[in-house]
Amino acid sequence: MSIETASVPTIDMRAITQLAESDELGEQFVAEVIDVFLADLSERVRAIGLQMSHDDRAGIAATAHAVKGSCGHFGAVRLMELLHEIEGRVRHEQTDGLQTAVDSMVAETERVRAALEAYRSNRMRRPDR
């Protein structure tokens, strides 16, 4: 993990707090949204891998764009930046470093997954919630 990655929070808790406050079910709503997001994220990361192996640049750009939008709900800023980079590289046909960017995105995806799972587990176990 680079110093740059380590200095950026995996998720912005303010974004999740805003999600919880925007719905009457609060933390339960957030837990459900996290479940849906993580399932979708796994599918889309797999899709990017397949698209890379088939040199499907349009597919890579579209998938990266879709995931980038979803990441905003959780304040996954570093993941959003990496997806933006992937999307830009593909759209501008700058394929040098594309695999490295995808590898970084996969690693960051795992950091986001772990952070969201930990958040969900901690919040759903609290008796005052």
Side-chain angles (χ1 to χ4, degrees), residues 46-72:
R46 272 194 289 278
I48 289 174
L50 285 172
Q51 292 159 340
M52 286 288 291
S53 68
H54 293 112
D55 197 29
D56 177 3
R57 294 178 187 173
I60 295 165
T63 304
H65 182 79
V67 177
K68 182 177 66 176
S70 300
C71 291

Side-chain angles (χ1 to χ4, degrees):
M1 176 184 326
S2 70
I3 292 172
E4 178 182 316
T5 300
S7 66
V8 176
T10 305
I11 55 175
D12 181 350
M13 290 302 169
R14 292 173 300 186
I16 292 179
T17 301
Q18 287 174 344
L19 263 179
E21 291 173 351
S22 70
D23 191 273
E24 63 188 40
L25 296 176
E27 296 295 340
Q28 181 182 346
F29 171 71
V30 171
E32 290 171 11
V33 171
I34 287 171
D35 288 342
V36 170
F37 173 73
L38 291 177
D40 184 63
L41 184 61
S42 293
E43 261 319 294
R44 292 187 191 253
V45 168
R46 272 194 289 278
I48 289 174
L50 285 172
Q51 292 159 340
M52 286 288 291
S53 68
H54 293 112
D55 197 29
D56 177 3
R57 294 178 187 173
I60 295 165
T63 304
H65 182 79
V67 177
K68 182 177 66 176
S70 300
C71 291
H73 297 296
F74 299 102
V77 176
R78 179 69 183 138
L79 184 54
M80 288 173 60
E81 290 170 350
L82 290 165
L83 290 159
H84 179 76
E85 177 185 346
I86 290 166
E87 183 182 7
R89 283 180 179 278
V90 171
R91 292 200 191 279
H92 296 102
E93 298 185 15
Q94 299 170 335
T95 55
D96 286 352
L98 180 58
Q99 185 61 56
T100 301
V102 169
D103 292 344
S104 294
M105 180 267 306
V106 170
E108 186 63 17
T109 297
E110 290 309 311
R111 287 182 64 217
V112 167
R113 173 179 303 288
L116 289 174
E117 287 174 348
Y119 176 89
R120 182 185 56 206
S121 294
N122 291 337
R123 293 296 181 162
M124 296 312 287
R125 283 190 297 210
R126 289 176 60 178
D128 62 329
R129 297 274 169 183

